[in-house]
């Protein structure tokens, strides 16, 4: 399946999720409505809510609570984006102005807080303690990942192990949660719940590693942001860490200086160092291995179009160009 076929499989449920998002975004505070709808309607792949719907379908769930949970996952993700863009002083996301660039940092942070709060209201309404445990732990882990990433900025001594821990906390943990909640709703055995959690963790890790690749190889129009943003912010992502480890002394010193100082002045020379050390290919191969691990984790599920779609989603995560 390609991404359009996956979307066709869950089209009715995704329409219900979109309706739920619009309904639960409503607030008597006009700015919350404006900013919330601005960021939610800005495009995006909606992979995390898709994963909630697919995992629920693959486990035979026949209720409606997966719709609310898919919206919850998207609200949590959107809140992290709002806060991320303020921390990073980002000006572009998905091909248009970030919310903080248009509405200001204060409004973005506060509306992000609103989305977190609304998410927990919705969880309480669902009334499943296991779900609340999963999602509350997830939000704490994501926040820890954000803080760890902040501490790593401009730190050229960041190791590959430390970096992988950051992306598993900051990005992959929400995919993990999206994979878990479907089998929990469907009252599946623990082995299935853990299997789909592992699928989500590997999928999210692969997705972030390809984001790292695209930061140095993607097209601006397709990515919806500027190439080299991570380098400009002094983020030691995997291509940079690998280039420092295996490159010659001059290349390693250049990349180290670029991380420590940030900015775009080093972009062309760093890109040459990354290419000389095959660091893009190294990162891509790691992402492909994570995708393979994700597909292997699906063995806990019976055959179905939903399981096939989840396998295709893993392949999409590493084959994408945006």
């Amino acid at each position: 399946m390609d991404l359009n076929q996956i979307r066709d499989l869950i089209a009715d449920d995704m329409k219900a999720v979109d309706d739920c998002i619009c309904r639960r975004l409503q607030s008597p505070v006009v700015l919350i409505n404006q900013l919330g709808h601005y960021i939610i309607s800005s495009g995006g792949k909606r992979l995390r809510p898709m994963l909630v719907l697919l995992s629920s379908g693959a486990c035979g769930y026949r209720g409606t609570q997966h719709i609310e949970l898919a919206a919850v996952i998207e609200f949590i993700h959107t809140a992290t984006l709002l806060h991320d863009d303020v921390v990073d002083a980002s000006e572009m996301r998905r091909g248009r102005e970030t919310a903080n660039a248009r509405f200001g940092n204060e409004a973005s942070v506060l509306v992000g807080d609103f989305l977190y709060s609304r998410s927990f209201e919705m969880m309480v309404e669902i009334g499943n303690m296991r779900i609340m445990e999963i999602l509350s732990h997830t939000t704490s882990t994501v926040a820890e990942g954000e803080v760890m990433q902040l501490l790593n900025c401009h730190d050229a001594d960041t190791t590959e192990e430390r970096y992988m821990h950051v992306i598993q906390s900051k990005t992959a943990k929400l995919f993990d949660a999206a994979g878990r909640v479907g089998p929990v709703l469907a009252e599946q055995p623990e082995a299935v719940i853990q299997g789909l959690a592992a699928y989500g963790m590997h999928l999210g890790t692969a997705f972030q590693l390809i984001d790292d690749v695209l930061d140095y190889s993607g097209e601006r129009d397709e990515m919806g942001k500027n190439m080299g943003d991570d380098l400009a912010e002094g983020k030691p992502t995997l291509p940079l860490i690998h280039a420092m480890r295996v490159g010659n002394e001059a290349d390693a010193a250049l990349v180290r200086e670029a991380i420590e100082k940030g900015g775009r002045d080093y972009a062309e020379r760093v890109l040459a160092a990354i290419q000389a050390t095959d660091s893009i290919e190294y990162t891509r191969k790691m992402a492909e291995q994570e995708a393979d691990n994700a597909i292997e984790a699906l063995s806990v599920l019976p055959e179905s179009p939903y399981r096939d779609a989840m396998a295709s989603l893993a392949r999409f995560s590493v084959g994408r160009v945006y």
Side-chain angles (χ1 to χ4, degrees):
M1 295 185 186
D2 61 23
L3 195 58
N4 288 330
Q5 290 172 314
I6 296 171
R7 287 174 172 150
D8 287 345
L9 178 65
I10 53 173
D12 290 343
D13 278 353
M14 279 301 297
K15 174 64 166 59
V17 171
D18 289 341
D19 291 345
C20 179
I21 286 171
C22 290
R23 186 172 67 253
R24 300 311 296 259
L25 264 178
Q26 293 301 313
S27 166
V29 180
V30 174
L31 183 58
I32 291 177
N33 292 328
Q34 290 176 333
L35 198 153
H37 282 286
Y38 179 80
I39 186 69
I40 287 288
S41 66
S42 65
K45 305 170 192 69
R46 297 280 176 94
L47 295 186
R48 296 156 189 83
M50 285 172 63
L51 181 49
V52 174
L53 303 180
L54 291 171
S55 66
S56 300
C59 292
Y61 179 66
R62 293 293 178 265
T64 59
Q65 289 183 333
H66 64 313
I67 302 298
E68 286 78 14
L69 284 173
V72 165
I73 291 284
E74 187 67 3
F75 279 170
I76 293 172
H77 174 55
T78 302
T80 67
L81 296 185
L82 287 167
H83 291 166
D84 270 359
D85 286 342
V86 170
V87 170
D88 295 338
S90 299
E91 297 179 353
M92 179 180 288
R93 180 180 289 278
R94 297 170 180 166
R96 65 177 184 170
E97 280 187 307
T98 54
N100 52 297
R102 173 166 290 202
F103 297 95
N105 287 340
E106 296 87 349
S108 291
V109 169
L110 294 173
V111 173
D113 293 344
F114 169 81
L115 290 175
Y116 274 130
S117 302
R118 181 53 50 90
S119 296
F120 278 89
E121 285 181 351
M122 294 169 70
M123 286 181 233
V124 170
E125 291 170 11
I126 289 170
N128 185 313
M129 187 57 68
R130 180 76 185 275
I131 296 289
M132 291 185 66
E133 178 186 2
I134 290 167
L135 292 178
S136 59
H137 176 64
T138 295
T139 54
S140 297
T141 301
V142 170
E144 288 170 348
E146 296 284 0
V147 174
M148 287 188 289
Q149 177 175 267
L150 183 63
L151 293 174
N152 284 351
C153 274
H154 303 290
D155 183 358
D157 291 320
T158 301
T159 62
E160 183 174 312
E161 180 181 21
R162 204 162 98 201
Y163 179 67
M164 293 299 291
H165 183 49
V166 168
I167 67 172
Q168 286 165 357
S169 301
K170 173 183 173 291
T171 301
K173 187 62 180 176
L174 195 54
F175 282 86
D176 170 320
R180 283 179 195 263
V181 296
V184 169
L185 283 178
E187 300 181 344
Q188 290 291 304
E190 192 63 27
V192 176
I193 296 170
Q194 294 304 322
L196 293 191
Y199 166 85
M201 178 60 69
H202 289 302
L203 175 67
T205 303
F207 187 85
Q208 182 59 57
L209 289 173
I210 292 299
D211 264 6
D212 292 352
V213 166
L214 294 176
D215 197 53
Y216 296 99
S217 61
E219 294 294 330
R220 180 182 185 274
D221 290 343
E222 290 176 332
M223 294 168 62
K225 66 173 188 174
N226 296 313
M227 192 173 79
D229 278 351
D230 289 343
L231 179 64
E233 294 159 13
K235 292 179 181 177
T237 57
L238 190 57
L240 299 178
I241 294 168
H242 180 261
M244 281 191 292
R245 189 175 74 239
V246 306
N248 60 38
E249 187 175 338
D251 283 345
L254 170 67
V255 174
R256 171 175 288 273
E257 184 177 342
I259 291 171
E260 290 174 347
K261 293 187 176 180
R264 299 189 182 277
D265 294 343
Y266 298 87
E268 290 186 11
R269 288 177 291 159
V270 167
L271 182 57
I274 288 172
Q275 291 171 340
T277 53
D278 291 328
S279 296
I280 294 293
E281 186 60 24
Y282 175 80
T283 304
R284 188 179 292 280
K285 284 182 177 177
M286 283 197 64
E288 289 170 352
Q289 182 59 59
E290 290 291 336
D292 288 344
N293 292 342
I295 292 169
E296 185 176 346
L298 294 175
S299 62
V300 297
L301 292 173
E303 290 187 8
S304 72
Y306 295 99
R307 191 181 83 168
D308 292 343
M310 292 171 76
S312 296
L313 201 59
R315 296 187 185 97
F316 165 78
S317 72
V318 293
R320 64 196 175 94
V321 293
Y322 62 95

